[in-house]
Amino acid sequence: MKRMILVVLTFIILLAVTAALSEAATGDATVPGTKPKVVVLATGGTIAGVGDPGKISGYQPGTLTAETLLWGVPEIDEVADIEAIQVCNVNSDDITAEIWLTLAETINRLAADPEVAGFVITHGTDTMEETAYFLNLTVKTDKPVVLTGSMRPATALSADGPLNLYEAVCVAASDEAIGQGVLIVFSDQIYSARSMTKVSTYSVMAISAGEAGDIGIVRDGNVYIYEHPGRKHTLASEFDVSGLQTLPKVSVLYFSVDADPELLRYAAEHSDGLVIAGAGAGEFSKAWIDVISELQIPVVISSRIDDGLIMKDNLLCKNTIAADTLSPQKAAILLRLALLNDSSQEYLEELFLRY
Ligand code: ASP
């Protein structure tokens, strides 16, 4: 405990010195009230993590508050006026549908304020892609909504959080990012929510968009966007989660050689829908085909392969729906939202071709 207090104190002193040095170097040239207002919604993750000074592993994610994170990056003050909201402070594996709904509700409410230019969400990288895709389908604004995080805790040597946070605020404050759907800013690159995924458990270049690629770059605070998301999002999305407390339950099952088909029956009994991470183009064993063909709940077929496409022609069971290029975890989000509207096969098939 004493050791933890010492570590946090050392970190705070370090931040204070950095802040003072930076203020002395840059001066305070900005007139208050003339900058765009960006709301920072903090949820935890490694970016708010604290560990042994200098070390990059064995830390506690979701420890520092939004205020402390912002205090560590005084350069943000030159870019935007910030309102900080601590939504939760968790390892992102503990993010829940309830937290997603709170984020969507908060953004939708604050986006109506003409003073607010955009939003930044600090988030753990493990499930960042899921939160980003959920918000991409549920926020009703064209104002920038940008997620960021880090791979190294705040107390690590060469922590990547401060620059990521700075760049995320620059994107959220930028006109370039308006109408682009929910974005992720990480290690100088800008990704769109539908295609972004975590690809490394250790590298600071942990985020990728696979075949789709990044859609832009941030460099010294300048924002360059080159591509636009092609699928429906934000204002064009048909999903309305206002007033909801929870979402339908969808389970994701991963096929591997000899995988027990009883898992399917168990999951189907306890879920409103299933997503299968099949092998190759969404395939699985005869034993799984037999059980899946009999299931009475919606079943979406995705792949355990990162890049690729599942089309109707690939499906081994007639009662299933192809996930298109959505990963299993993102297909689960689209299915959870879809089930709020309609569970028919026709509706779901058409939906997975549009989002
Ligand atoms: N386990 C951490 C989280 O997702 C990892 C990270 O933030 O990079 O909260």
Side-chain angles (χ1 to χ4, degrees), residues 34-54:
T34 59
K35 294 169 285 181
K37 178 171 170 184
V38 170
V39 179
V40 174
L41 300 150
T43 69
T46 297
I47 191 168
V50 170
D52 287 342

Side-chain angles (χ1 to χ4, degrees), residues 272 296-299 321 335 338-348:
D272 303 304
Q296 300 296 318
I297 57 170
V299 182
I321 297 118
L335 183 55
L339 292 177
L340 293 169
N341 295 350
D342 184 352
S343 61
S344 72
Q345 182 147 356
E346 306 69 61
Y347 174 68
L348 296 173

Side-chain angles (χ1 to χ4, degrees), residues 248-254 261-277 288 291-293 295-302 319-321 323 328 331-333 335-336 339 348 352:
K249 182 173 166 187
V250 167
S251 299
V252 178
L253 290 177
Y254 192 102
E262 285 309 309
L263 292 173
L264 295 161
R265 285 204 179 90
Y266 177 85
E269 264 171 42
H270 294 85
S271 314
D272 303 304
L274 293 187
V275 173
I276 310 291
W288 273 42
V291 176
I292 291 172
S293 302
L295 295 178
Q296 300 296 318
I297 57 170
V299 182
V300 173
I301 308 300
S302 178
N319 58 332
T320 58
I321 297 118
I333 292 166
L335 183 55
R336 293 180 84 174
L339 292 177
L348 296 173
F352 274 83

